[in-house]
Amino acid sequence: MRVKNIAIIGGGTAGWLAANHLAVELRAEQDVTITVIESPEIGIIGVGEGTVPHIRKSLQKFGISEAELLATCDTTFKVGIKFVDWMAGGSTMASNSYYHPFSSPYPAGIDVTSMYLKHADTMEFSAVSEVPGLADAMKAPKQISSGPFEGPVNYAYHFNAVKFGQLLAKNAKEKLRVQHKLATVVDACLNDQGEVAYLVSKEGEHLHYDFYVDCTGFNSLLLGKLYRVPFVDKSNQILTDSALAVQVATEHGSEIAPYTLAKAHQAGWLWDIPLTNRRGVGFVYSSAHMSESQALEGLAAHVGLPADQLSPRKIPMKIGYREKFWCKNVVALGLAHGFVEPLEATSIFVTDLAAELFARNFSPQKGGMSIAADYCNKVLAYTWERVMDFVQLHYCISDRRDSEFWRLNTVEPKMSEVLSERLAMWRFNAPKKSDFFSRFDLFDVENFLFVLYGMKYKTLERRMTESERQVFTRELQNIRQLEVQMSAGLIGHREWLDGFLAAYQGMKSSNVKPA
């Protein structure tokens, strides 16, 4: 009645995140062995190169140093996302762009949203934060003297996803006693209780464990194919279903944007993620509204290369999630559980949260397994639904009507009841913290405010008192002063990274362990 051997099927980001989370939570259980079974034949998707600040907490928990991450994974900093062309444009949005920064929209802790609405025609909502100005100036979010995982500006990372998986693997094996086995799992067999009894490798080997974590990607070998857990299809809410991804080398010494670029086009959007030595670019589109050849032309135009010089990787995207995340003695993580286009760095974020949730609720004692499974399944279903809402928000409130794709997204779109109710409510009252009643709303009021009003959502103005007007004016002035002060105290993103890498290599050659 005790789980002693856990198998994680599949490496990559999902598998090794699961290994690290489980190993940390079960470190006191000396009789529990965790093994990652990785196929030498099956590659990983490897395009989830953007993160959100939560990843810093996980890295600290695992004992991975920020210095090692920065030095080994082509890592750059990310202070938010810059959205371009998500609106039709016009006199009120001459630049047709806005930021979703990792900062608070409450300057000095004050909710100034209602006061902003009085000035919505003449100012951008992101003016309530100092981050957009610093991002446009290509500033690093850390000072040279900043400690690990600290900085005056909240930040996450961009990194090479393959190298990040390797870093997670190294940490799990060297520090957390996780075992590693090379084998290609092709099938599994059930016992009389309907649990997975053993895995079957391509070579015919039977691999016996007590518990299994399915990280087999879109294949979803155990949760999808073996248990046939129904897939909740969300393609009627999120219309994009394909992506073409390429890597573009950058010139040595060229400046590095400290943000992800998300640029909309007539049938979707594209991401542009800067690393230290290259950019990862992905052209996301709806195949019902754009051909692959048209998508390739759009990708080529963005990167400035002829289409015949590109060999992009095509990624089919099935939007949705499995009804259950935990079934019997199987948990699925990453693409094996669910997927939504990576508009807000959702892939690694949800995988990290799900792995942590599972690890914290898992007990080697089998008696409480069904209770933990029921709870986690409810949490993850709620999480996925709200993530889908937040991604769809970027489309459905746009004023673009220049293609069939945008008309379908904006004219009577198919929304969840929750999103529909919230948008109706926010026509009369600006979003407030109490509108988000669960800690599993991964994107909460602060995220919604930046997107809603970055895209000029129309909320009914309310009257302001003179004292409120004075507070609003004062806080905006304080933000601008802070922006000037921070800009003077922060160096360029490229300069910071180059200086760090030079210092890191110097310490390594001197056998000094970097912090």
Side-chain angles (χ1 to χ4, degrees), residues 52 78-83 97-103 126 129 131-132 259-260 343-344 390 394 442-451 454:
V52 298
K78 173 185 175 183
V79 297
I81 304 172
K82 185 175 184 177
F83 290 92
S97 68
Y98 73 95
Y99 274 96
H100 176 192
F102 295 140
S103 58
S126 58
S129 167
V131 171
Y259 55 81
T260 297
L343 185 59
E344 290 272 0
F390 187 58
H394 297 69
L442 300 193
F443 299 100
D444 59 13
V445 62
E446 299 191 358
N447 308 110
F448 273 78
L449 283 172
F450 278 118
V451 175

PDB file of all heavy atoms in Angstrom, residues 52 78-83 97-103 126 129 131-132 259-260 343-344 390 394 442-451 454:
ATOM      1  N   VAL A  52       7.125  33.328 -16.891  1.00  0.00           N
ATOM      2  CA  VAL A  52       6.582  34.378 -16.034  1.00  0.00           C
ATOM      3  C   VAL A  52       7.364  34.339 -14.721  1.00  0.00           C
ATOM      4  O   VAL A  52       8.084  33.373 -14.449  1.00  0.00           O
ATOM      5  CB  VAL A  52       5.073  34.185 -15.785  1.00  0.00           C
ATOM      6  CG1 VAL A  52       4.302  34.267 -17.096  1.00  0.00           C
ATOM      7  CG2 VAL A  52       4.784  32.859 -15.085  1.00  0.00           C
ATOM      8  N   LYS A  78      13.166  39.043 -19.101  1.00  0.00           N
ATOM      9  CA  LYS A  78      11.854  39.396 -19.665  1.00  0.00           C
ATOM     10  C   LYS A  78      11.083  40.180 -18.612  1.00  0.00           C
ATOM     11  O   LYS A  78      10.823  39.664 -17.516  1.00  0.00           O
ATOM     12  CB  LYS A  78      11.088  38.119 -20.058  1.00  0.00           C
ATOM     13  CG  LYS A  78       9.650  38.354 -20.504  1.00  0.00           C
ATOM     14  CD  LYS A  78       8.953  37.021 -20.752  1.00  0.00           C
ATOM     15  CE  LYS A  78       7.482  37.219 -21.079  1.00  0.00           C
ATOM     16  NZ  LYS A  78       6.771  35.929 -21.253  1.00  0.00           N
ATOM     17  N   VAL A  79      10.728  41.431 -18.934  1.00  0.00           N
ATOM     18  CA  VAL A  79       9.967  42.249 -17.988  1.00  0.00           C
ATOM     19  C   VAL A  79       8.494  42.331 -18.363  1.00  0.00           C
ATOM     20  O   VAL A  79       7.715  43.002 -17.685  1.00  0.00           O
ATOM     21  CB  VAL A  79      10.558  43.671 -17.880  1.00  0.00           C
ATOM     22  CG1 VAL A  79      11.977  43.616 -17.343  1.00  0.00           C
ATOM     23  CG2 VAL A  79      10.510  44.398 -19.221  1.00  0.00           C
ATOM     24  N   GLY A  80       8.109  41.640 -19.439  1.00  0.00           N
ATOM     25  CA  GLY A  80       6.717  41.646 -19.858  1.00  0.00           C
ATOM     26  C   GLY A  80       6.596  41.310 -21.337  1.00  0.00           C
ATOM     27  O   GLY A  80       7.542  40.808 -21.958  1.00  0.00           O
ATOM     28  N   ILE A  81       5.435  41.606 -21.879  1.00  0.00           N
ATOM     29  CA  ILE A  81       5.142  41.330 -23.286  1.00  0.00           C
ATOM     30  C   ILE A  81       4.714  42.629 -23.962  1.00  0.00           C
ATOM     31  O   ILE A  81       3.919  43.395 -23.407  1.00  0.00           O
ATOM     32  CB  ILE A  81       4.007  40.292 -23.424  1.00  0.00           C
ATOM     33  CG1 ILE A  81       4.372  38.997 -22.673  1.00  0.00           C
ATOM     34  CG2 ILE A  81       3.725  39.981 -24.889  1.00  0.00           C
ATOM     35  CD1 ILE A  81       3.231  38.011 -22.593  1.00  0.00           C
ATOM     36  N   LYS A  82       5.247  42.867 -25.144  1.00  0.00           N
ATOM     37  CA  LYS A  82       4.827  44.016 -25.933  1.00  0.00           C
ATOM     38  C   LYS A  82       3.906  43.516 -27.043  1.00  0.00           C
ATOM     39  O   LYS A  82       4.302  42.724 -27.887  1.00  0.00           O
ATOM     40  CB  LYS A  82       6.030  44.743 -26.535  1.00  0.00           C
ATOM     41  CG  LYS A  82       5.646  46.021 -27.273  1.00  0.00           C
ATOM     42  CD  LYS A  82       6.873  46.789 -27.746  1.00  0.00           C
ATOM     43  CE  LYS A  82       6.479  48.118 -28.390  1.00  0.00           C
ATOM     44  NZ  LYS A  82       7.680  48.920 -28.785  1.00  0.00           N
ATOM     45  N   PHE A  83       2.663  43.990 -27.011  1.00  0.00           N
ATOM     46  CA  PHE A  83       1.666  43.597 -28.007  1.00  0.00           C
ATOM     47  C   PHE A  83       1.584  44.663 -29.101  1.00  0.00           C
ATOM     48  O   PHE A  83       1.450  45.860 -28.809  1.00  0.00           O
ATOM     49  CB  PHE A  83       0.294  43.426 -27.343  1.00  0.00           C
ATOM     50  CG  PHE A  83       0.209  42.227 -26.446  1.00  0.00           C
ATOM     51  CD1 PHE A  83       0.501  42.334 -25.095  1.00  0.00           C
ATOM     52  CD2 PHE A  83      -0.155  40.991 -26.949  1.00  0.00           C
ATOM     53  CE1 PHE A  83       0.443  41.232 -24.258  1.00  0.00           C
ATOM     54  CE2 PHE A  83      -0.226  39.877 -26.124  1.00  0.00           C
ATOM     55  CZ  PHE A  83       0.071  39.998 -24.774  1.00  0.00           C
ATOM     56  N   SER A  97       0.266  49.769 -30.093  1.00  0.00           N
ATOM     57  CA  SER A  97       0.966  48.785 -29.278  1.00  0.00           C
ATOM     58  C   SER A  97       0.700  49.083 -27.808  1.00  0.00           C
ATOM     59  O   SER A  97       0.326  50.196 -27.447  1.00  0.00           O
ATOM     60  CB  SER A  97       2.469  48.809 -29.562  1.00  0.00           C
ATOM     61  OG  SER A  97       3.049  50.011 -29.102  1.00  0.00           O
ATOM     62  N   TYR A  98       0.873  48.069 -26.992  1.00  0.00           N
ATOM     63  CA  TYR A  98       0.749  48.257 -25.548  1.00  0.00           C
ATOM     64  C   TYR A  98       1.580  47.190 -24.843  1.00  0.00           C
ATOM     65  O   TYR A  98       1.956  46.175 -25.437  1.00  0.00           O
ATOM     66  CB  TYR A  98      -0.713  48.201 -25.086  1.00  0.00           C
ATOM     67  CG  TYR A  98      -1.339  46.812 -25.098  1.00  0.00           C
ATOM     68  CD1 TYR A  98      -1.360  46.024 -23.949  1.00  0.00           C
ATOM     69  CD2 TYR A  98      -1.929  46.299 -26.253  1.00  0.00           C
ATOM     70  CE1 TYR A  98      -1.934  44.760 -23.949  1.00  0.00           C
ATOM     71  CE2 TYR A  98      -2.515  45.041 -26.262  1.00  0.00           C
ATOM     72  CZ  TYR A  98      -2.509  44.273 -25.106  1.00  0.00           C
ATOM     73  OH  TYR A  98      -3.062  43.019 -25.102  1.00  0.00           O
ATOM     74  N   TYR A  99       1.858  47.418 -23.575  1.00  0.00           N
ATOM     75  CA  TYR A  99       2.639  46.483 -22.773  1.00  0.00           C
ATOM     76  C   TYR A  99       1.766  45.774 -21.741  1.00  0.00           C
ATOM     77  O   TYR A  99       0.858  46.365 -21.162  1.00  0.00           O
ATOM     78  CB  TYR A  99       3.745  47.216 -22.008  1.00  0.00           C
ATOM     79  CG  TYR A  99       5.027  47.406 -22.779  1.00  0.00           C
ATOM     80  CD1 TYR A  99       5.278  48.604 -23.452  1.00  0.00           C
ATOM     81  CD2 TYR A  99       5.994  46.404 -22.832  1.00  0.00           C
ATOM     82  CE1 TYR A  99       6.471  48.797 -24.145  1.00  0.00           C
ATOM     83  CE2 TYR A  99       7.187  46.590 -23.523  1.00  0.00           C
ATOM     84  CZ  TYR A  99       7.412  47.784 -24.184  1.00  0.00           C
ATOM     85  OH  TYR A  99       8.584  47.965 -24.870  1.00  0.00           O
ATOM     86  N   HIS A 100       2.083  44.511 -21.533  1.00  0.00           N
ATOM     87  CA  HIS A 100       1.619  43.787 -20.352  1.00  0.00           C
ATOM     88  C   HIS A 100       2.873  43.497 -19.528  1.00  0.00           C
ATOM     89  O   HIS A 100       3.541  42.482 -19.726  1.00  0.00           O
ATOM     90  CB  HIS A 100       0.918  42.493 -20.738  1.00  0.00           C
ATOM     91  CG  HIS A 100       0.506  41.664 -19.548  1.00  0.00           C
ATOM     92  ND1 HIS A 100       0.071  40.361 -19.677  1.00  0.00           N
ATOM     93  CD2 HIS A 100       0.474  41.943 -18.216  1.00  0.00           C
ATOM     94  CE1 HIS A 100      -0.202  39.881 -18.475  1.00  0.00           C
ATOM     95  NE2 HIS A 100       0.037  40.818 -17.579  1.00  0.00           N
ATOM     96  N   PRO A 101       3.230  44.413 -18.611  1.00  0.00           N
ATOM     97  CA  PRO A 101       4.451  44.237 -17.820  1.00  0.00           C
ATOM     98  C   PRO A 101       4.204  43.365 -16.596  1.00  0.00           C
ATOM     99  O   PRO A 101       3.063  43.100 -16.212  1.00  0.00           O
ATOM    100  CB  PRO A 101       4.795  45.671 -17.417  1.00  0.00           C
ATOM    101  CG  PRO A 101       3.468  46.351 -17.325  1.00  0.00           C
ATOM    102  CD  PRO A 101       2.577  45.708 -18.355  1.00  0.00           C
ATOM    103  N   PHE A 102       5.302  42.927 -15.969  1.00  0.00           N
ATOM    104  CA  PHE A 102       5.210  42.148 -14.745  1.00  0.00           C
ATOM    105  C   PHE A 102       5.173  43.048 -13.509  1.00  0.00           C
ATOM    106  O   PHE A 102       5.599  42.649 -12.437  1.00  0.00           O
ATOM    107  CB  PHE A 102       6.397  41.193 -14.640  1.00  0.00           C
ATOM    108  CG  PHE A 102       6.430  40.133 -15.704  1.00  0.00           C
ATOM    109  CD1 PHE A 102       7.627  39.766 -16.295  1.00  0.00           C
ATOM    110  CD2 PHE A 102       5.276  39.490 -16.109  1.00  0.00           C
ATOM    111  CE1 PHE A 102       7.679  38.789 -17.270  1.00  0.00           C
ATOM    112  CE2 PHE A 102       5.302  38.506 -17.087  1.00  0.00           C
ATOM    113  CZ  PHE A 102       6.509  38.154 -17.679  1.00  0.00           C
ATOM    114  N   SER A 103       4.701  44.244 -13.680  1.00  0.00           N
ATOM    115  CA  SER A 103       4.617  45.189 -12.568  1.00  0.00           C
ATOM    116  C   SER A 103       3.161  45.335 -12.137  1.00  0.00           C
ATOM    117  O   SER A 103       2.248  44.832 -12.794  1.00  0.00           O
ATOM    118  CB  SER A 103       5.173  46.546 -12.988  1.00  0.00           C
ATOM    119  OG  SER A 103       4.457  47.048 -14.108  1.00  0.00           O
ATOM    120  N   SER A 126      -0.702  51.630 -19.593  1.00  0.00           N
ATOM    121  CA  SER A 126       0.598  51.195 -19.085  1.00  0.00           C
ATOM    122  C   SER A 126       1.410  52.347 -18.503  1.00  0.00           C
ATOM    123  O   SER A 126       2.458  52.127 -17.889  1.00  0.00           O
ATOM    124  CB  SER A 126       1.403  50.500 -20.182  1.00  0.00           C
ATOM    125  OG  SER A 126       1.592  51.365 -21.285  1.00  0.00           O
ATOM    126  N   SER A 129       2.695  52.371 -14.925  1.00  0.00           N
ATOM    127  CA  SER A 129       3.888  51.599 -14.568  1.00  0.00           C
ATOM    128  C   SER A 129       5.125  52.231 -15.187  1.00  0.00           C
ATOM    129  O   SER A 129       5.063  52.820 -16.273  1.00  0.00           O
ATOM    130  CB  SER A 129       3.750  50.149 -15.067  1.00  0.00           C
ATOM    131  OG  SER A 129       4.983  49.472 -15.009  1.00  0.00           O
ATOM    132  N   VAL A 131       7.647  50.378 -16.102  1.00  0.00           N
ATOM    133  CA  VAL A 131       8.319  49.330 -16.866  1.00  0.00           C
ATOM    134  C   VAL A 131       8.342  49.569 -18.375  1.00  0.00           C
ATOM    135  O   VAL A 131       9.384  49.376 -19.013  1.00  0.00           O
ATOM    136  CB  VAL A 131       7.708  47.952 -16.528  1.00  0.00           C
ATOM    137  CG1 VAL A 131       8.239  46.869 -17.468  1.00  0.00           C
ATOM    138  CG2 VAL A 131       8.019  47.588 -15.085  1.00  0.00           C
ATOM    139  N   PRO A 132       7.230  49.968 -19.022  1.00  0.00           N
ATOM    140  CA  PRO A 132       7.284  50.151 -20.476  1.00  0.00           C
ATOM    141  C   PRO A 132       8.387  51.100 -20.944  1.00  0.00           C
ATOM    142  O   PRO A 132       9.071  50.820 -21.942  1.00  0.00           O
ATOM    143  CB  PRO A 132       5.887  50.694 -20.805  1.00  0.00           C
ATOM    144  CG  PRO A 132       5.012  50.087 -19.759  1.00  0.00           C
ATOM    145  CD  PRO A 132       5.846  50.117 -18.520  1.00  0.00           C
ATOM    146  N   TYR A 259      11.869  41.995 -23.490  1.00  0.00           N
ATOM    147  CA  TYR A 259      10.452  41.626 -23.521  1.00  0.00           C
ATOM    148  C   TYR A 259      10.193  40.675 -24.689  1.00  0.00           C
ATOM    149  O   TYR A 259      10.971  40.589 -25.638  1.00  0.00           O
ATOM    150  CB  TYR A 259       9.556  42.868 -23.666  1.00  0.00           C
ATOM    151  CG  TYR A 259       9.885  43.749 -24.863  1.00  0.00           C
ATOM    152  CD1 TYR A 259       9.424  43.436 -26.141  1.00  0.00           C
ATOM    153  CD2 TYR A 259      10.667  44.898 -24.712  1.00  0.00           C
ATOM    154  CE1 TYR A 259       9.731  44.237 -27.241  1.00  0.00           C
ATOM    155  CE2 TYR A 259      10.984  45.705 -25.800  1.00  0.00           C
ATOM    156  CZ  TYR A 259      10.504  45.364 -27.062  1.00  0.00           C
ATOM    157  OH  TYR A 259      10.815  46.162 -28.144  1.00  0.00           O
ATOM    158  N   THR A 260       9.091  39.957 -24.596  1.00  0.00           N
ATOM    159  CA  THR A 260       8.604  39.157 -25.706  1.00  0.00           C
ATOM    160  C   THR A 260       7.749  40.043 -26.599  1.00  0.00           C
ATOM    161  O   THR A 260       6.910  40.799 -26.103  1.00  0.00           O
ATOM    162  CB  THR A 260       7.737  37.983 -25.209  1.00  0.00           C
ATOM    163  OG1 THR A 260       8.533  37.114 -24.399  1.00  0.00           O
ATOM    164  CG2 THR A 260       7.157  37.186 -26.365  1.00  0.00           C
ATOM    165  N   LEU A 343       0.566  32.423 -25.896  1.00  0.00           N
ATOM    166  CA  LEU A 343       0.430  33.879 -25.979  1.00  0.00           C
ATOM    167  C   LEU A 343       0.953  34.593 -24.742  1.00  0.00           C
ATOM    168  O   LEU A 343       1.529  35.657 -24.829  1.00  0.00           O
ATOM    169  CB  LEU A 343      -1.037  34.258 -26.216  1.00  0.00           C
ATOM    170  CG  LEU A 343      -1.337  35.732 -26.438  1.00  0.00           C
ATOM    171  CD1 LEU A 343      -0.579  36.267 -27.644  1.00  0.00           C
ATOM    172  CD2 LEU A 343      -2.842  35.946 -26.637  1.00  0.00           C
ATOM    173  N   GLU A 344       0.750  34.048 -23.574  1.00  0.00           N
ATOM    174  CA  GLU A 344       1.194  34.671 -22.328  1.00  0.00           C
ATOM    175  C   GLU A 344       2.135  33.734 -21.572  1.00  0.00           C
ATOM    176  O   GLU A 344       2.093  33.644 -20.346  1.00  0.00           O
ATOM    177  CB  GLU A 344      -0.013  35.034 -21.453  1.00  0.00           C
ATOM    178  CG  GLU A 344      -0.852  36.183 -21.998  1.00  0.00           C
ATOM    179  CD  GLU A 344      -0.350  37.546 -21.523  1.00  0.00           C
ATOM    180  OE1 GLU A 344       0.638  37.592 -20.772  1.00  0.00           O
ATOM    181  OE2 GLU A 344      -0.956  38.564 -21.906  1.00  0.00           O
ATOM    182  N   PHE A 390      -8.332  33.942 -20.440  1.00  0.00           N
ATOM    183  CA  PHE A 390      -7.387  35.047 -20.534  1.00  0.00           C
ATOM    184  C   PHE A 390      -6.772  35.135 -21.924  1.00  0.00           C
ATOM    185  O   PHE A 390      -6.590  36.230 -22.468  1.00  0.00           O
ATOM    186  CB  PHE A 390      -6.302  34.901 -19.479  1.00  0.00           C
ATOM    187  CG  PHE A 390      -5.382  36.098 -19.402  1.00  0.00           C
ATOM    188  CD1 PHE A 390      -5.893  37.358 -19.135  1.00  0.00           C
ATOM    189  CD2 PHE A 390      -4.023  35.963 -19.607  1.00  0.00           C
ATOM    190  CE1 PHE A 390      -5.058  38.467 -19.069  1.00  0.00           C
ATOM    191  CE2 PHE A 390      -3.178  37.065 -19.539  1.00  0.00           C
ATOM    192  CZ  PHE A 390      -3.692  38.314 -19.275  1.00  0.00           C
ATOM    193  N   HIS A 394      -7.592  38.449 -25.392  1.00  0.00           N
ATOM    194  CA  HIS A 394      -6.768  39.248 -26.299  1.00  0.00           C
ATOM    195  C   HIS A 394      -7.403  39.379 -27.679  1.00  0.00           C
ATOM    196  O   HIS A 394      -7.167  40.363 -28.389  1.00  0.00           O
ATOM    197  CB  HIS A 394      -5.384  38.621 -26.450  1.00  0.00           C
ATOM    198  CG  HIS A 394      -4.594  38.572 -25.175  1.00  0.00           C
ATOM    199  ND1 HIS A 394      -4.938  37.749 -24.116  1.00  0.00           N
ATOM    200  CD2 HIS A 394      -3.478  39.236 -24.783  1.00  0.00           C
ATOM    201  CE1 HIS A 394      -4.054  37.902 -23.141  1.00  0.00           C
ATOM    202  NE2 HIS A 394      -3.163  38.797 -23.517  1.00  0.00           N
ATOM    203  N   LEU A 442      -4.645  31.963 -12.451  1.00  0.00           N
ATOM    204  CA  LEU A 442      -3.225  32.261 -12.664  1.00  0.00           C
ATOM    205  C   LEU A 442      -3.028  33.679 -13.179  1.00  0.00           C
ATOM    206  O   LEU A 442      -2.011  34.314 -12.914  1.00  0.00           O
ATOM    207  CB  LEU A 442      -2.608  31.262 -13.652  1.00  0.00           C
ATOM    208  CG  LEU A 442      -2.647  29.782 -13.250  1.00  0.00           C
ATOM    209  CD1 LEU A 442      -1.723  28.983 -14.152  1.00  0.00           C
ATOM    210  CD2 LEU A 442      -2.263  29.587 -11.794  1.00  0.00           C
ATOM    211  N   PHE A 443      -3.988  34.150 -13.936  1.00  0.00           N
ATOM    212  CA  PHE A 443      -3.970  35.539 -14.405  1.00  0.00           C
ATOM    213  C   PHE A 443      -5.118  36.245 -13.693  1.00  0.00           C
ATOM    214  O   PHE A 443      -6.278  35.887 -13.870  1.00  0.00           O
ATOM    215  CB  PHE A 443      -4.135  35.589 -15.928  1.00  0.00           C
ATOM    216  CG  PHE A 443      -3.035  34.866 -16.654  1.00  0.00           C
ATOM    217  CD1 PHE A 443      -3.224  33.585 -17.136  1.00  0.00           C
ATOM    218  CD2 PHE A 443      -1.801  35.467 -16.853  1.00  0.00           C
ATOM    219  CE1 PHE A 443      -2.215  32.913 -17.793  1.00  0.00           C
ATOM    220  CE2 PHE A 443      -0.778  34.802 -17.503  1.00  0.00           C
ATOM    221  CZ  PHE A 443      -0.981  33.520 -17.975  1.00  0.00           C
ATOM    222  N   ASP A 444      -4.755  37.239 -12.878  1.00  0.00           N
ATOM    223  CA  ASP A 444      -5.772  37.860 -12.036  1.00  0.00           C
ATOM    224  C   ASP A 444      -6.025  39.299 -12.449  1.00  0.00           C
ATOM    225  O   ASP A 444      -5.771  39.700 -13.586  1.00  0.00           O
ATOM    226  CB  ASP A 444      -5.378  37.747 -10.565  1.00  0.00           C
ATOM    227  CG  ASP A 444      -4.034  38.425 -10.275  1.00  0.00           C
ATOM    228  OD1 ASP A 444      -3.533  39.186 -11.128  1.00  0.00           O
ATOM    229  OD2 ASP A 444      -3.478  38.201  -9.177  1.00  0.00           O
ATOM    230  N   VAL A 445      -6.520  40.093 -11.518  1.00  0.00           N
ATOM    231  CA  VAL A 445      -6.977  41.437 -11.847  1.00  0.00           C
ATOM    232  C   VAL A 445      -5.867  42.280 -12.467  1.00  0.00           C
ATOM    233  O   VAL A 445      -6.107  43.053 -13.404  1.00  0.00           O
ATOM    234  CB  VAL A 445      -7.564  42.133 -10.595  1.00  0.00           C
ATOM    235  CG1 VAL A 445      -6.511  42.288  -9.493  1.00  0.00           C
ATOM    236  CG2 VAL A 445      -8.168  43.487 -10.951  1.00  0.00           C
ATOM    237  N   GLU A 446      -4.642  42.153 -11.996  1.00  0.00           N
ATOM    238  CA  GLU A 446      -3.554  42.986 -12.510  1.00  0.00           C
ATOM    239  C   GLU A 446      -3.273  42.669 -13.975  1.00  0.00           C
ATOM    240  O   GLU A 446      -3.053  43.568 -14.796  1.00  0.00           O
ATOM    241  CB  GLU A 446      -2.309  42.808 -11.649  1.00  0.00           C
ATOM    242  CG  GLU A 446      -2.544  43.230 -10.187  1.00  0.00           C
ATOM    243  CD  GLU A 446      -1.266  43.312  -9.377  1.00  0.00           C
ATOM    244  OE1 GLU A 446      -0.190  43.012  -9.937  1.00  0.00           O
ATOM    245  OE2 GLU A 446      -1.340  43.692  -8.196  1.00  0.00           O
ATOM    246  N   ASN A 447      -3.274  41.379 -14.313  1.00  0.00           N
ATOM    247  CA  ASN A 447      -3.056  40.980 -15.707  1.00  0.00           C
ATOM    248  C   ASN A 447      -4.195  41.457 -16.598  1.00  0.00           C
ATOM    249  O   ASN A 447      -3.970  41.976 -17.700  1.00  0.00           O
ATOM    250  CB  ASN A 447      -2.928  39.463 -15.799  1.00  0.00           C
ATOM    251  CG  ASN A 447      -1.901  38.889 -14.845  1.00  0.00           C
ATOM    252  OD1 ASN A 447      -2.261  38.223 -13.880  1.00  0.00           O
ATOM    253  ND2 ASN A 447      -0.633  39.147 -15.084  1.00  0.00           N
ATOM    254  N   PHE A 448      -5.424  41.278 -16.126  1.00  0.00           N
ATOM    255  CA  PHE A 448      -6.580  41.680 -16.917  1.00  0.00           C
ATOM    256  C   PHE A 448      -6.600  43.185 -17.146  1.00  0.00           C
ATOM    257  O   PHE A 448      -6.965  43.654 -18.219  1.00  0.00           O
ATOM    258  CB  PHE A 448      -7.875  41.212 -16.250  1.00  0.00           C
ATOM    259  CG  PHE A 448      -8.284  39.818 -16.628  1.00  0.00           C
ATOM    260  CD1 PHE A 448      -7.669  38.716 -16.053  1.00  0.00           C
ATOM    261  CD2 PHE A 448      -9.283  39.592 -17.561  1.00  0.00           C
ATOM    262  CE1 PHE A 448      -8.039  37.420 -16.403  1.00  0.00           C
ATOM    263  CE2 PHE A 448      -9.676  38.310 -17.916  1.00  0.00           C
ATOM    264  CZ  PHE A 448      -9.043  37.221 -17.334  1.00  0.00           C
ATOM    265  N   LEU A 449      -6.230  43.951 -16.137  1.00  0.00           N
ATOM    266  CA  LEU A 449      -6.241  45.412 -16.289  1.00  0.00           C
ATOM    267  C   LEU A 449      -5.314  45.855 -17.412  1.00  0.00           C
ATOM    268  O   LEU A 449      -5.685  46.687 -18.252  1.00  0.00           O
ATOM    269  CB  LEU A 449      -5.833  46.080 -14.973  1.00  0.00           C
ATOM    270  CG  LEU A 449      -6.894  46.124 -13.872  1.00  0.00           C
ATOM    271  CD1 LEU A 449      -6.275  46.632 -12.569  1.00  0.00           C
ATOM    272  CD2 LEU A 449      -8.071  47.010 -14.279  1.00  0.00           C
ATOM    273  N   PHE A 450      -4.103  45.313 -17.453  1.00  0.00           N
ATOM    274  CA  PHE A 450      -3.156  45.728 -18.485  1.00  0.00           C
ATOM    275  C   PHE A 450      -3.643  45.372 -19.886  1.00  0.00           C
ATOM    276  O   PHE A 450      -3.443  46.130 -20.839  1.00  0.00           O
ATOM    277  CB  PHE A 450      -1.782  45.111 -18.226  1.00  0.00           C
ATOM    278  CG  PHE A 450      -0.959  45.848 -17.214  1.00  0.00           C
ATOM    279  CD1 PHE A 450      -0.564  45.241 -16.028  1.00  0.00           C
ATOM    280  CD2 PHE A 450      -0.582  47.167 -17.442  1.00  0.00           C
ATOM    281  CE1 PHE A 450       0.202  45.926 -15.095  1.00  0.00           C
ATOM    282  CE2 PHE A 450       0.186  47.869 -16.507  1.00  0.00           C
ATOM    283  CZ  PHE A 450       0.576  47.237 -15.331  1.00  0.00           C
ATOM    284  N   VAL A 451      -4.286  44.209 -20.031  1.00  0.00           N
ATOM    285  CA  VAL A 451      -4.763  43.804 -21.359  1.00  0.00           C
ATOM    286  C   VAL A 451      -6.043  44.543 -21.726  1.00  0.00           C
ATOM    287  O   VAL A 451      -6.175  45.076 -22.833  1.00  0.00           O
ATOM    288  CB  VAL A 451      -4.970  42.277 -21.421  1.00  0.00           C
ATOM    289  CG1 VAL A 451      -5.590  41.875 -22.755  1.00  0.00           C
ATOM    290  CG2 VAL A 451      -3.641  41.550 -21.222  1.00  0.00           C
ATOM    291  N   GLY A 454      -5.099  48.200 -22.102  1.00  0.00           N
ATOM    292  CA  GLY A 454      -4.123  48.324 -23.177  1.00  0.00           C
ATOM    293  C   GLY A 454      -4.820  48.288 -24.519  1.00  0.00           C
ATOM    294  O   GLY A 454      -4.388  48.922 -25.489  1.00  0.00           O
TER     295      GLY A 454
END
